[in-house]
Amino acid sequence: MDQAVKLSQDFAVLMSQAIVFIRDMKFIFFKLANDLGGYFAYREMIRHLQRHFKDIQPLSGNDITIRPVDGEGGDLAIMLSLQQDLFRETRIQVRPKAPFRARSGAPTPGFRPKAPWVRLSAVECAGGRIPAAVMVRDSFARQLHPFLSEHFQRIVYIWDWELHFFTQ
């Protein structure tokens, strides 16, 4: 129970930081399922990892550029074929000022997904301070994946909707 309370407090801090940014950018409506939400989640994950890896630091606001980008509408607009003209969306793009160093890595030998819908990807970063990790992810991780990968020499992402993972 204490852990659940702590997680909800951490989430409240994360949301308050996001709300201040949104207010300052003068947005009326905002979805966190974008680059900015991924960036805030990444910073929070690194904050927790710092308990075990003291020398890691998340990218700060000075290390990134944040800008609104106009784009086609999302899933509902696409289903209605109105994404190009009527239902446009402003998304928040977050990019590091220095290019990401992490690159796609070779799959882990001997591991085969148990089901065809399981997605498995490995990312390697020579300058990563943490040796290795496995992260069970969902679609939201798409936005934090590039930031988080920079801290690991190798990280394997598993996206399995049913959490059945591997045969071996």
Side-chain angles (χ1 to χ4, degrees):
M1 185 64 171
D2 290 341
Q3 196 172 19
V5 169
K6 177 69 174 113
L7 285 173
S8 66
Q9 290 169 341
D10 290 345
F11 184 74
V13 168
L14 176 67
M15 291 299 99
S16 66
Q17 292 171 344
I19 289 167
V20 167
F21 177 82
I22 294 160
R23 181 201 64 208
D24 293 347
M25 292 289 290
K26 310 280 190 277
F27 284 104
I28 295 171
F29 171 76
F30 183 74
K31 300 185 306 185
L32 274 180
N34 62 34
D35 285 0
L36 186 62
Y39 173 72
F40 281 121
Y42 149 76
R43 288 186 55 84
E44 191 63 17
M45 290 176 78
I46 294 300
R47 189 175 73 77
H48 286 280
L49 285 169
Q50 285 173 325
R51 296 176 189 156
H52 305 285
F53 303 95
K54 305 282 187 225
D55 61 340
I56 63 170
Q57 294 295 322
L59 290 176
S60 73
N62 295 328
D63 300 323
I64 60 171
T65 58
I66 301 173
R67 68 185 185 103
V69 176
D70 179 60
E72 293 183 352
D75 293 345
L76 182 57
I78 291 168
M79 284 185 253
L80 296 170
S81 295
L82 299 172
Q83 74 272 18
Q84 292 182 351
D85 299 321
L86 284 177
F87 294 106
R88 312 255 332 141
E89 288 187 12
T90 299
R91 292 179 173 85
I92 304 301
Q93 184 181 72
V94 179
R95 297 291 182 262
K97 290 181 179 173
F100 285 123
R101 299 168 298 156
R103 300 288 177 252
S104 291
T108 303
F111 286 105
R112 293 184 318 269
K114 190 173 181 180
W117 61 80
V118 176
R119 295 183 193 168
L120 179 68
S121 63
V123 180
E124 297 174 348
C125 183
R129 302 279 198 170
I130 302 171
V134 173
M135 179 178 164
V136 178
R137 59 160 288 187
D138 63 5
S139 60
F140 184 68
R142 182 179 62 81
Q143 289 88 1
L144 68 87
H145 177 286
F147 293 101
L148 192 60
S149 298
E150 293 291 298
H151 297 278
F152 295 91
Q153 292 171 16
R154 180 175 173 83
I155 184 167
V156 176
Y157 295 96
I158 302 170
W159 190 1
D160 180 355
W161 292 274
E162 294 185 5
L163 302 178
H164 289 134
F165 304 124
F166 300 98
T167 57
Q168 299 177 3

